[in-house]
Amino acid sequence: MDLTLTDEQQAFRDLARDFLDHEAVPHRTQWDRDESVDLEIIAKMAEIGFFGLTIPEEYGGLGGDYLTYVLGMEELGRADSALRGIVSVSNGLFGKSVLGFGTEEQKQEWLPRIASGTSLGCFGLTEPDTGSDAGNLTSRARRDGDDYVLNGQKLFITNGTWADVALVFARTSDDGPRGVTAFLVPTDAAGFEAREVKGKLGLRGQATAELFLSDVRVPSSARLGEEGQGFKIAMTSLDKGRVSVAAGCVGIVQGCLETSVSYATSRTQFGKQLAGFQLVQALIADMSVDADAARLLVWRCADLIDRGEPFGTAASKAKLFASEAAVRAANNAIQVYGGAGYVDEHPAEKYLRDARVMTLYEGTSQIQKLLIGRAETGVNAFV
Ligand SMILES: Cc1cc2nc3c(=O)[nH]c(=O)nc-3n(C[C@H](O)[C@H](O)[C@H](O)COP(=O)(O)OP(=O)(O)OC[C@H]3O[C@@H](n4cnc5c(N)ncnc54)[C@H](O)[C@@H]3O)c2cc1C
């Protein structure tokens, strides 16, 4: 399915697909088994421009539009969602927060490093006791002269053990979400520790960490935005992050469709191709419809963002639909493969394991429904 893409957008998508088909797809099963991608892929992805897609040229990025960004995220999702997560968190959740809310010094300090892939960023919002209810987080930042001293714990932080800098959300007052402030914390700061979370169902190639902050001292110049603005920064970043997750899910659905068609047209049972059975075609038809529908929802978000229009509810709809569609498509892809789909020699089972988290992070499906429901009814069901 194609709406009109510019020559540049088309060229980037082709470049991204060709690169990933050669540099990621042949290795993804091994990376998954190893529970880590080969970190050399980071520099290679940076050369293609993945880490600077929406960072302006003056800070070393490509300065591309958001549609180009989602095209890149779709290709990453089709190839390996672990890579999509690494890029999306560093360039997206971290980079876009700095771009949107940082001082000129903060942008100069971090954005060229993020865009070039020489540094990775991470986004530290979730805590052991506050996930969906992030506005009630309990990590603390105490003002001490011209410094802040941070204490607390973060959980499930993508890139956490690889990042050079963490965007940490901590409480500067007891005023609920309005008491949260954001900080740019170098991960080599004294008192900062990251421990790998092992044994994940999917996204096994990417680092996921628990962060421990014990009297971590940062200067006030490390504060991102104003005191009390942290929750707004987090929610603004997550709105765009949801579009990225949704785009990655489009890639999963597309990958499931392609691999299912390939298998169904090459394997024979009862003397004919699997693709000749109507019930197999039904599985494939559902994937095809889901791919188009999810892609259109994602592209609508990108269009709204590129035109500077509000896009939060559209992002929730895209994320909800695309993530559920990705789980559906991957489950159906395993069905098309039969027993072979249960083994990691073929991509279907990895698509399912990777897809499963998409309905959980950056706001679960239930949370997206509450956001959409609130927008439709004007009634806030969170309180
Ligand atoms: C692989 C991975 C990577 C991650 N990366 C990051 C990261 O980089 N940075 C970061 O900050 N976080 C990250 N997360 C955390 C993720 O965003 C949270 O797991 C997610 O927000 C859900 O929070 P929770 O796990 O605490 O679940 P909970 O909030 O405890 O929810 C549990 C269940 O209750 C439901 N529920 C909760 N509240 C409501 C409600 N009001 N109404 C109806 N149902 C409700 C949820 O939908 C869910 O089904 C990551 C998680 C994973 C698994």
Side-chain angles (χ1 to χ4, degrees):
M1 184 208 67
D2 262 331
L3 298 183
T4 308
L5 296 176
T6 64
D7 289 347
E8 289 79 16
Q9 289 163 341
Q10 184 78 50
F12 182 77
R13 183 169 71 175
D14 293 347
L15 177 73
R17 178 170 292 211
D18 186 58
F19 167 81
L20 291 164
D21 276 347
H22 288 95
E23 298 287 346
V25 171
H27 308 294
R28 64 186 173 191
T29 304
Q30 195 56 48
W31 292 342
D32 189 73
R33 290 176 182 173
D34 292 347
E35 290 197 54
S36 177
V37 300
D38 177 350
L39 289 176
E40 285 187 12
I41 192 72
I42 306 263
K44 291 181 186 172
M45 286 198 295
E47 265 176 51
I48 298 291
F50 278 119
F51 287 99
L53 273 172
T54 55
I55 293 178
E57 288 176 18
E58 59 187 300
Y59 302 114
L62 295 183
D65 54 32
Y66 215 81
L67 187 50
T68 305
Y69 182 72
V70 299
L71 293 172
M73 294 307 110
E74 177 180 335
E75 292 309 321
L76 285 165
R78 175 182 170 274
D80 187 348
S81 289
L83 295 179
R84 207 269 315 152
I86 296 168
V87 174
S88 205
V89 169
S90 196
N91 173 288
L93 291 182
F94 179 85
K96 289 195 200 96
S97 300
V98 174
L99 186 63
F101 295 91
T103 61
E104 189 52 35
E105 288 71 28
Q106 289 169 334
K107 292 179 197 175
Q108 295 285 358
E109 180 176 8
W110 292 113
L111 293 181
R113 294 165 63 175
I114 294 295
S116 64
T118 47
S119 288
L120 287 179
C122 67
F123 182 86
L125 180 66
T126 303
E127 300 183 352
D129 292 330
T130 55
S132 302
D133 191 15
N136 274 321
L137 60 82
T138 60
S139 291
R140 285 256 161 206
R142 174 176 55 83
R143 185 94 198 210
D144 184 27
D146 197 35
D147 295 341
Y148 287 90
V149 179
L150 277 67
N151 281 285
Q153 195 178 332
K154 299 288 173 182
L155 186 59
F156 297 139
I157 306 306
T158 303
N159 292 344
T161 47
W162 295 341
D164 299 285
V165 57
L167 177 54
V168 173
F169 298 89
R171 183 163 295 291
T172 43
S173 84
D174 289 328
D175 195 13
R178 284 187 294 274
V180 175
T181 303
F183 297 91
L184 297 166
V185 183
T187 55
D188 60 1
F192 187 103
E193 193 194 341
R195 283 185 215 152
E196 187 69 33
V197 174
K198 287 287 188 190
K200 297 191 301 264
L201 176 68
L203 299 185
R204 293 163 72 89
Q206 72 177 215
T208 306
E210 209 168 347
L211 308 182
F212 299 87
L213 294 99
S214 176
D215 287 334
V216 175
R217 184 173 286 274
V218 292
S220 58
S221 59
R223 193 186 67 221
L224 186 71
E226 301 301 321
E227 272 198 19
Q229 210 187 0
F231 194 66
K232 181 183 167 199
I233 293 173
M235 293 303 113
T236 304
S237 302
L238 285 173
D239 275 348
K240 281 195 178 160
R242 285 168 188 157
V243 182
S244 173
V245 172
C249 291
V250 175
I252 293 176
V253 181
Q254 182 65 34
C256 290
L257 174 61
E258 290 173 20
T259 198
S260 297
V261 169
S262 163
Y263 193 76
T265 50
S266 60
R267 181 169 170 83
T268 303
Q269 291 292 285
F270 297 96
K272 66 176 186 178
Q273 290 175 311
L274 294 181
F277 297 113
Q278 292 178 356
L279 294 178
V280 173
Q281 283 202 7
L283 295 169
I284 289 172
D286 285 346
M287 290 178 213
S288 179
V289 175
D290 273 347
D292 281 5
R295 189 177 287 115
L296 282 169
L297 287 170
V298 168
W299 285 17
R300 175 175 68 166
C301 295
D303 179 57
L304 289 169
I305 293 170
D306 283 334
R307 288 190 290 112
E309 298 287 334
F311 64 94
T313 306
S316 287
K317 290 181 185 178
K319 202 262 179 186
L320 172 63
F321 183 84
S323 61
E324 297 287 345
V327 174
R328 230 173 10 244
N331 204 26
N332 282 348
I334 293 177
Q335 204 64 23
V336 171
Y337 270 85
Y342 200 63
V343 180
D344 72 0
E345 209 177 303
H346 300 287
E349 62 84 45
K350 180 176 182 311
Y351 278 132
L352 181 62
R353 289 186 291 105
D354 289 347
R356 195 60 192 82
V357 77
M358 307 296 168
T359 71
L360 301 174
Y361 67 10
E362 304 208 21
T364 64
S365 289
Q366 287 74 25
I367 295 301
Q368 304 312 324
K369 286 182 184 173
L370 295 186
L371 292 170
I372 298 163
R374 185 175 67 185
E376 291 290 353
T377 64
V379 178
N380 185 359
F382 287 103
V383 289

